[in-house]
Amino acid sequence: MLENFQLHRLPAEDEALRAPLRQLLAEHLAGLPLSQRARSWMGFDASLSRRLGAAGYLGLTLPRRYGGQERSPFARFVVVEELLAAGAPVAAHWIADRQSGPLILHFGTEAQRDRFLPGIARGELYFCIGMSEPGSGSDLASVRSRAEPVDGGWKLNGQKIWTTNAQHDDYMIALVRTSGTAADRQAGLSQFIVDMRAPGVVVRPIRDLAGDEHFAEVFFEDVHLGEDMLVGQEGAGWAQVNAELAFERSGPERIYSSIVLLDAWIAHLRASERMDGSTATLVGRLTAELATLRALSVAVTARLAAGEQPVVEASILKDLGTAFEQALPTLIADDLASHPAETPADELVRTLAYVAQIAPSFSLRGGTREILRGIIARGLGLR
Amino acid sequence: MDSLLLDSFVKLLGEVSTPAQVRALEAGGPVDPVWSALSESGFLDALLVESQGGAGLDLSDVAPLLLALGAHAVALPVAETMAARALLGAAAVEHPGGPVVLADFRAGPGGLVPTAACSTHALADMGDCLALFAIADLDTRRPGIHGSLALAFGDVGSAPRLAEIPRPAAGLRAIAAVIRAASIAGAAGRVLDMTVAYAGERLQFGKPIGKQQAVQQQLAVMAERSVAARMAALIGCSDGLDPRPAIAAVAKQVTSAAAIEIANIAHAVHGAIGISEEYDLQLFTRRLHEWRMADGSESWWAARLGEWRLQSSDASSVDYIRGIECA
């Protein structure tokens, strides 16, 4: 297991993507306040996504014949790292670019690839993930939403919840039951592409503790799905979802969710000319941890580049990364509040409060800490 | 690196650094048989240039060897001697042949130096140069830690300098910390293997304790910390024998912080047997504690790295880290 993480250097041709992307972001994000940047891959800005698509920064790993750039996962790492470091509001294209596109490429039909991938690469087609249900969170195999075969396709009934950006997105890739019952567990599950504007689909945004509506509940009532909306094999949904989750868990967004806050705090320390021993020790500790996490993230990217599905490695990275992301607001809040003579800018205070409030979600979304550790334990041969 | 090279090194360590031999050295047993075998193997000259009879390997090439040293709880300064021979060789100074430790005498006596009690020489950072000393010529003290081969050094005074060579830009502590980080990471991997194996064998409540979710979660955390420690050590080994200080700081901060958590989980899972002398776990966890403190603990390096970060012109953490990792 340990040997699966090797030190890799990002290829020069991929590093070259940084400078022009930085310029685009500097223009597009000018004036965007820190507390909005801190929302990053929860922030929705379709105009940015279309601009990134037009400039060739999306669909980087997709083949050219589907509108992609046919580049390696390292190229995507560089682009994603730049977007997150800048706090770019990337939610519109995020899930489509990260996992729906690769899923359709791997498991979809040629017609599905032709229909969906070019729009994803242009930053125009947005996807959400239909996994959680009111009774199915970590126990994903217990999903009850059900698609029954009918003439010309399927009829979908059920409900999804905690679906990020469902109210803004064009399509959902939903994991639903196509045979058997919830007692059959992983057997009998399938994935469908659901048109979010189809009759019978109702979306109700859910307000979160930070005042945003970043997720929603989604109801399906006799929603007709064409035969061509089944992704991959009927009944193979579980294996496909796990392949998809490897993409979902392996990216640098699992180490950079609080990066805007970290950089804002360091800017505050510099402005305050504070460099005493305990301050420097905290800055150094966080820098060392982040440097190691970044190298681990590049190492997981290398496994993706080798064509593997690094399920265990991605779980290790995500659990380490989210622990770091969650520690940041805790440590920074303690630091600022133990220096009452300094007056941090309101924008820093707002950013800190937002990250502190939303931080519990870091180790829920994409698989809880306990589920990830169970996957790691399986990788260790314990279960 | 060549996996044949690593395989033969691991085979050698399996012969000369068995748990029984580690215990014998700790009890004051003879160094010579083990050291002769290591010397004859040629591995001590791995970093020496080929024209001086070495293998001409880079530090990143030998990183797997350094990890293997930690994984075998080797009680002698093998990696330190590799580095010392290369540094002396670069200055055209013949190496002394025996085990050499790396020490930092810039601000007077530093902390404890592991394995110094079974070494013949110390290569020390004097601030303006590196000086080679015979340990017998130095004022030394064993603090009386059970099983430890570490020495405390007193004032150097007028102890004869057997050689003086140019000081690397980052001094000696950076490379010493990188080597120590690799030892920690290697030992961490071994302790993880031992603990996972034990959890699969030890039966309680009618099943292996490794089937208990609470134990699985702890072992997963241990694996995560071992992965992080190993990557930090690899980062450390990526910058040669004169590593930039920030590289050394990343390596030693992360490995030192992980060392204690890994040791603690290993003992928690092993229960009372792990505390016993006859069980091998203690050979590794005692070292994890000693190595964590040697060559600067996590907070010592964190404070340095934090100062450099706050003084750097990089606005973003990503740019600062890319500067460390890419240069």
Side-chain angles (χ1 to χ4, degrees):
Chain A
M1 177 185 288
L2 303 186
E3 290 72 22
N4 288 347
F5 293 89
Q6 293 296 334
L7 198 58
H8 284 270
R9 195 160 290 221
L10 294 170
E13 72 260 27
D14 299 324
E15 285 285 355
L17 290 165
R18 281 186 204 277
L21 175 55
R22 262 182 208 200
Q23 196 174 347
L24 184 157
L25 291 175
E27 286 168 24
H28 194 94
L29 304 181
L32 188 67
L34 275 180
S35 55
Q36 288 303 314
R37 291 178 188 245
R39 281 155 167 85
S40 189
W41 56 290
M42 293 303 194
F44 194 95
D45 178 354
S47 70
L48 173 62
S49 293
R50 283 193 294 269
R51 193 165 171 183
L52 291 169
Y57 293 115
L58 304 183
L60 283 161
T61 61
L62 298 177
R64 286 192 173 278
R65 65 182 181 281
Y66 305 121
Q69 301 294 325
E70 220 162 297
R71 298 185 66 141
S72 77
F74 292 117
R76 186 167 183 279
F77 179 95
V78 168
V79 168
V80 167
E81 181 171 62
E82 287 296 318
L83 293 171
L84 296 170
V90 289
H93 69 264
W94 197 249
I95 286 161
D97 181 68
R98 178 178 70 190
Q99 62 199 85
S100 311
L103 181 81
I104 291 169
L105 178 68
H106 283 104
F107 298 109
T109 63
E110 192 60 26
Q112 286 170 337
R113 293 173 188 160
D114 286 334
R115 178 173 168 188
F116 297 109
L117 297 183
I120 289 174
R122 285 195 305 270
E124 293 173 358
L125 277 189
Y126 309 139
F127 281 68
C128 56
I129 310 163
M131 292 193 194
S132 290
E133 297 185 0
S136 303
S138 288
D139 183 11
L140 185 59
S142 68
V143 296
R144 291 174 180 276
S145 292
R146 187 173 196 92
E148 290 175 291
V150 293
D151 278 350
W154 304 77
K155 186 176 70 179
L156 174 62
N157 281 285
Q159 182 187 349
K160 294 290 174 183
I161 195 168
W162 316 126
T163 310
T164 300
N165 277 323
Q167 67 271 40
H168 299 301
D169 290 333
D170 304 296
Y171 296 96
M172 169 191 283
I173 294 186
L175 180 71
V176 303
R177 185 158 291 288
T178 45
S179 64
T181 69
D184 292 306
R185 309 288 301 160
Q186 288 89 343
L189 299 176
S190 303
Q191 284 185 300
F192 287 93
I193 302 171
V194 180
D195 183 344
M196 296 299 283
R197 293 176 190 88
V201 177
V202 173
V203 179
R204 285 196 203 132
I206 302 171
R207 203 165 168 83
D208 70 28
L209 81 178
D212 296 339
E213 291 182 343
H214 81 269
F215 49 24
E217 51 188 342
V218 183
F219 300 89
F220 308 117
E221 190 180 345
D222 291 340
V223 179
H224 179 79
L225 305 171
E227 279 166 355
D228 56 352
M229 296 302 246
L230 173 69
V231 182
Q233 296 295 310
E234 183 196 338
W238 185 257
Q240 292 174 199
V241 150
N242 278 287
E244 184 182 352
L245 283 167
F247 285 109
E248 180 169 348
R249 290 170 180 155
S250 59
E253 66 265 39
R254 304 306 179 176
I255 67 176
Y256 286 143
S257 297
S258 310
I259 191 75
V260 169
L261 172 62
L262 175 63
D263 285 349
W265 173 61
I266 288 175
H268 164 80
L269 294 176
R270 283 177 166 160
S272 309
E273 296 183 340
R274 173 146 64 88
M275 215 193 332
D276 59 281
S278 64
T279 301
T281 301
L282 183 54
V283 171
R285 170 191 153 189
L286 296 172
T287 303
E289 288 177 358
L290 185 59
T292 304
L293 286 168
R294 181 177 188 269
L296 290 173
S297 188
V298 175
V300 172
T301 302
R303 309 301 289 188
L304 290 173
E308 298 170 20
Q309 288 178 11
V311 174
V312 177
E313 292 84 353
S315 299
I316 289 173
L317 172 65
K318 181 176 181 293
D319 199 30
L320 282 169
T322 54
F324 173 80
E325 294 175 334
Q326 290 175 334
L328 277 173
T330 307
L331 295 166
I332 291 172
D334 183 36
D335 174 82
L336 291 178
S338 60
H339 292 83
E342 294 171 4
T343 310
D346 286 351
E347 195 51 35
L348 173 56
V349 174
R350 266 196 297 278
T351 301
L352 168 64
Y354 169 75
V355 176
Q357 285 162 2
I358 206 69
S361 72
F362 300 166
S363 57
L364 300 176
R365 59 190 186 189
T368 66
R369 174 173 292 132
E370 290 72 22
I371 290 292
L372 298 176
R373 290 180 182 173
I375 291 169
I376 297 163
R378 186 174 292 119
L380 290 169
L382 291 165
R383 45 191 303 189
Chain B
M1 76 177 287
D2 189 345
S3 72
L4 282 176
L5 203 59
L6 176 62
D7 291 347
S8 68
F9 189 64
V10 168
K11 183 166 175 287
L12 173 67
L13 294 183
E15 290 161 5
V16 304
S17 189
T18 62
Q21 281 154 321
V22 173
R23 285 184 174 85
L25 284 169
E26 288 183 345
V31 171
D32 283 351
V34 177
W35 193 254
S36 298
L38 287 163
S39 297
E40 285 159 19
S41 74
F43 279 108
L44 298 174
D45 299 322
L47 297 171
L48 203 58
V49 294
E50 291 179 55
S51 61
Q52 293 176 332
L57 295 175
D58 190 71
L59 191 67
S60 60
D61 298 324
V62 303
L65 306 185
L66 306 192
L67 293 167
L69 289 165
H72 288 82
V74 175
L76 294 163
V78 174
E80 295 93 318
T81 301
M82 284 183 191
R85 287 187 176 190
L87 290 167
L88 291 166
V93 173
E94 199 171 332
H95 66 73
V100 183
V101 291
L102 307 179
D104 187 348
F105 290 163
R106 282 174 300 168
L112 294 176
V113 179
T115 71
C118 51
S119 300
T120 58
H121 292 76
L123 183 64
D125 191 340
M126 309 306 292
D128 55 351
C129 68
L130 303 184
L132 183 67
F133 295 96
I135 290 178
D137 293 336
L138 292 168
D139 172 25
T140 61
R141 181 167 49 80
R142 276 182 96 158
I145 301 168
H146 174 74
S148 172
L149 295 165
L151 287 183
F153 289 98
D155 281 332
V156 174
S158 59
R161 301 184 180 194
L162 307 182
E164 286 187 358
I165 62 172
R167 180 177 183 269
L172 211 44
R173 179 167 281 207
I175 181 63
V178 164
I179 286 170
R180 199 72 64 197
S183 292
I184 290 173
R190 178 64 172 272
V191 166
L192 174 66
D193 289 345
M194 291 174 76
T195 309
V196 169
Y198 182 79
E201 294 161 5
R202 171 68 174 168
L203 303 178
Q204 287 290 276
F205 306 105
K207 60 184 177 183
I209 60 171
K211 295 289 177 197
Q212 304 281 5
Q213 281 199 358
V215 175
Q216 291 177 353
Q217 299 269 311
Q218 293 228 64
L219 290 169
V221 171
M222 194 177 173
E224 292 173 13
R225 298 302 294 254
S226 302
V227 163
R230 189 173 182 281
M231 180 54 81
L234 293 179
I235 292 170
C237 291
S238 69
D239 206 27
L241 279 175
D242 187 10
R244 284 165 298 133
I247 286 270
V250 169
K252 192 60 167 55
Q253 196 284 332
V254 169
T255 52
S256 288
I260 302 310
E261 191 170 357
I262 288 165
N264 287 349
I265 295 175
H267 278 293
V269 172
H270 272 90
I273 189 78
I275 306 292
S276 68
E277 146 64 26
E278 69 166 303
Y279 195 81
D280 291 341
L281 181 65
Q282 53 95 6
L283 298 177
F284 296 92
T285 55
R286 278 193 292 110
R287 281 178 170 72
L288 286 173
H289 281 270
E290 184 169 280
W291 293 343
R292 175 253 187 149
M293 293 172 67
D295 309 304
S297 67
E298 63 269 32
S299 289
W300 190 88
W301 281 106
R304 304 290 88 68
L305 183 59
E307 287 165 15
W308 301 324
R309 168 76 182 96
L310 289 170
Q311 287 163 353
S312 82
S313 58
D314 288 314
S316 88
S317 296
V318 168
D319 279 351
Y320 184 75
I321 286 164
R322 285 177 55 233
I324 297 177
E325 293 182 345
C326 299

